[in-house]
């Protein structure tokens, strides 16, 4: 069977590796960072990691990927309890508030209302006193990033994938980068190379790729909110509260820890948390929480963190390119630029990558 070299071990590279392995391909994954690593250059561990589309219906392909991801995870959650526990995915109610006046299921931004379970509009009288103009609720998928990435890595290994830790030159031409990648393989050859390097696809090479900085806080809320739910307010910047357990899953029920945020800061590479931004997040979150937890809830900050979403002008790039490496044509499949939607795009995007690999090998 054909040998595919996947570069990158974020949610995109690892999901793609698993789909290829499930279809009989021989797979090698080469990456600088692996699940468990907390480098700022590795985006996937820093995600909120929920399904909450920001796509609009004219982004036909992205909507389709997100539809596939939602159905895939819900199916596992409903039919394979043990598997979903291993993956670190949960079914959770979500409440989304908007500054948009319109509360109309025909609104384009609600394209997903027939896809998701339990969709409902929130009556104006039930909105928090300050801020939101409309809102909706549904049931969605919450992912624990580190657990999920570790699951994908372990699964790929158990299906026979080989793992190589290496750093490829980022300022070189794509031809030199691919050549460097292939030099790590025993046979110095792969039928297809897949570029899942996230923000690593930028650095002097593809100026269309840029960071969208997201600062977040890991907190404990006391007393704990009465129900475990996700709350998102599409304010500027976006404000969200997600349950996020920090104790090991084996330790039993979750403690009342939450992942709160956030920011959406284009072009900013700063890896260090900024105190004034954390203050702003806490103030916005308190405002959204009133009426849900009461006035007296205490928020204890456990950790401040930053992640850089791999943004790209024109949206994610998932396409084939023939690259000339020392006179030989190598088939490269690009799969980067998933910005703030890498998890919710991953299932559909990896399936497209599989089809393109099949096409490339014709
Ligand atoms: C605060 C925040 C909240 C988010 N919330 C959500 C959410 O709710 N839902 C959602 O769907 N998405 C969310 N995201 C977005 C999501 O995290 C990203 O889209 C996704 O993680 C991108 O994955 P990736 O595999 O493309 O890149 P990465 O995870 O960055 O992986 C890149 C891989 O490529 C490797 N690599 C790169 N360059 C090189 C090189 N030169 N040599 C060798 N290896 C290299 C790296 O080592 C790494 O293994 C959020 C992101 C942030 C920061
Ligand atoms: C994370 O990755 C970096 C870059 O390769 C490496 O130097 C560091 O040792 C890794 N950290 C851990 C904890 O593995
Ligand atoms: C990924 O794509 C970018 C943009 O084309 C390119 O600069 C980079 O070299 C590619 N990396 C790999 C590993 O293919
Ligand atoms: C960030 O802002 C852009 C532009 O306003 C928007 O399209 C995107 O959905 C936002 N992303 C997040 C995660 O808030």
């Amino acid at each position: 069977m054909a040998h595919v070299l996947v570069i990158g071990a974020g949610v995109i590279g690892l999901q793609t590796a698993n789909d290829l392995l499930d279809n009989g391909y021989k797979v090698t994954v080469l990456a600088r960072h692996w699940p468990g690593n907390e480098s700022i250059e590795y985006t996937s561990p820093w995600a909120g990691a929920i399904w909450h589309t920001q796509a609009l219906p004219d982004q036909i392909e992205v909507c389709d990927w997100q539809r596939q991801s939602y159905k895939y995870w819900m199916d596992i959650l409903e039919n394979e309890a043990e598997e979903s526990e291993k993956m670190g995915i949960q079914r959770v109610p979500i409440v989304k508030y908007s500054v948009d006046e319109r509360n109309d299921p025909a609104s384009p931004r609600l394209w997903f209302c027939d896809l998701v379970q339990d969709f409902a509009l929130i009556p104006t009288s039930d909105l928090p006193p300050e801020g939101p103009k409309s809102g909706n609720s549904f049931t969605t998928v919450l992912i624990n990033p580190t657990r999920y990435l570790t699951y994908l890595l372990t699964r790929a290994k158990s299906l026979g994938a080989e793992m190589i830790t290496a750093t490829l030159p980022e300022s070189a031409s794509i031809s030199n980068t691919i050549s460097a990648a292939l030099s790590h393989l025993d046979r110095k050859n792969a039928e297809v190379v897949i570029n899942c390097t996230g923000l690593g696809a930028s650095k002097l090479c593809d100026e269309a790729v840029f960071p969208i900085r997201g600062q977040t806080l890991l907190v404990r809320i006391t007393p704990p909110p009465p129900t475990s739910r996700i709350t998102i307010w599409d304010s500027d910047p976006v404000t969200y509260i997600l349950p996020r357990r920090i104790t090991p899953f084996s330790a039993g029920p979750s403690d009342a820890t939450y992942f709160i945020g956030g920011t959406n800061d284009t072009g900013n590479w700063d890896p260090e948390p900024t105190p004034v931004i954390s203050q702003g997040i806490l103030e916005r979150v308190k405002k959204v929480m009133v009426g849900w937890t009461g006035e007296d809830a205490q928020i204890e900050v456990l950790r401040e963190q930053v992640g850089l979403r791999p943004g790209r002008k024109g949206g994610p790039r998932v396409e084939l390119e023939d690259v000339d490496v020392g006179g030989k044509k190598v088939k490269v499949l690009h799969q980067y630029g998933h910005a703030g939607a890498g998890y919710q795009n991953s299932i559909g995007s990896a399936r497209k990558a599989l089809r393109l690999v099949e096409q490339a090998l014709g």
Side-chain angles (χ1 to χ4, degrees):
M1 198 61 182
H3 179 201
V4 181
L5 172 61
V6 176
I7 302 176
V11 67
I12 297 296
L14 291 176
Q15 183 61 49
T16 302
N18 273 280
D19 278 26
L20 289 164
L21 291 158
D22 285 339
N23 285 274
Y25 289 90
K26 176 171 155 44
V27 175
T28 301
V29 183
L30 181 154
R32 180 174 188 192
H33 307 100
W34 298 96
N37 196 295
E38 298 198 330
S39 166
I40 186 73
E41 293 176 79
Y42 184 30
T43 308
S44 295
W46 303 112
I50 55 175
W51 194 99
H52 72 123
T53 182
Q54 302 110 317
L56 290 171
D58 60 346
Q59 296 166 276
I60 294 168
E61 187 163 55
V62 171
C63 289
D64 185 47
W65 292 341
Q66 297 186 355
R67 197 176 284 120
Q68 292 183 52
S69 302
Y70 185 90
K71 286 189 177 159
Y72 172 81
W73 288 321
M74 276 300 173
D75 185 53
I76 293 173
L77 283 162
E78 282 161 10
N79 300 306
E80 299 173 59
E82 221 172 280
E83 194 71 0
S84 61
E85 173 75 15
K86 271 197 239 164
M87 293 166 83
I89 61 175
Q90 276 173 275
R91 231 170 150 262
V92 181
I94 180 169
V95 172
K96 278 189 93 165
Y97 299 122
S98 175
V99 288
D100 193 333
E101 296 273 2
R102 283 173 63 179
N103 207 4
D104 168 6
S107 162
R109 65 185 174 81
L110 298 183
W111 64 270
F112 59 93
C113 66
D114 292 330
L115 164 70
V116 298
Q117 299 177 10
D118 311 314
F119 182 87
L121 296 170
I122 297 172
T124 312
S125 54
D126 291 353
L127 293 172
E130 278 182 79
K133 297 278 189 289
S134 64
N136 57 73
S137 60
F138 55 99
T139 299
T140 198
V141 182
L142 170 67
I143 299 171
N144 186 293
T146 301
R147 191 171 172 90
Y148 191 72
L149 296 167
T150 304
Y151 166 87
L152 290 179
L153 176 66
T154 307
R155 189 176 185 281
K157 281 183 182 165
S158 75
L159 292 172
E162 276 183 51
M163 308 294 164
I164 297 175
T165 303
T167 301
L168 301 177
E170 284 180 355
S171 53
S173 67
I174 180 161
S175 170
N176 287 344
T177 304
I178 298 297
S179 167
L182 293 174
S183 74
H184 288 279
L185 300 178
D186 289 340
R187 284 170 46 243
K188 314 290 174 213
N189 193 28
E191 271 79 9
V192 183
V193 178
I194 312 192
N195 181 1
C196 305
T197 53
L199 211 45
S202 77
K203 305 286 173 66
L204 304 179
C205 303
D206 186 357
E207 283 174 18
V209 181
F210 52 83
I212 308 171
R213 184 181 185 277
Q215 185 166 323
T216 57
L217 304 173
L218 213 51
V219 301
R220 181 171 286 118
I221 301 177
T222 2
T227 52
S228 195
R229 75 173 199 206
I230 296 169
T231 307
I232 299 191
W233 178 15
D234 272 330
S235 50
D236 185 20
V238 59
T239 303
Y240 45 78
I241 309 167
L242 329 174
R244 168 64 36 87
R245 61 188 305 162
I246 55 172
T247 48
F249 275 67
S250 55
S254 162
D255 39 20
T257 45
Y258 291 79
F259 177 96
I260 66 172
T263 58
N264 187 10
D265 193 359
T266 297
N268 186 340
W269 289 94
D270 186 359
E272 295 304 325
T274 315
V276 63
I277 292 180
S278 295
Q279 272 316 311
I281 291 171
L282 284 168
E283 278 158 27
R284 273 151 39 221
V285 162
K286 277 182 189 151
K287 224 187 249 182
V288 180
M289 278 184 5
V290 170
W292 178 37
T293 55
E295 299 273 355
D296 300 328
Q298 297 296 312
I299 306 180
E300 178 196 352
V301 177
L302 305 173
R303 186 171 176 180
E304 296 173 276
Q305 41 195 27
V306 174
L308 303 175
R309 305 173 184 93
R312 180 174 181 271
K313 280 194 200 92
R317 179 180 187 202
V318 184
E319 67 180 6
L320 284 163
E321 179 184 358
D322 277 332
V323 175
D324 192 310
V325 180
K328 193 168 148 274
K329 287 244 177 306
V330 177
K331 292 190 182 304
V332 175
L333 170 57
H334 294 288
Q335 207 193 353
Y336 60 83
H338 286 277
Y343 282 85
Q344 59 204 357
N345 290 354
S346 61
I347 303 298
S349 177
R351 287 176 184 166
K352 177 172 179 186
L354 174 66
R355 283 197 305 278
L356 288 175
V357 167
E358 284 164 353
Q359 184 187 313
L361 297 175

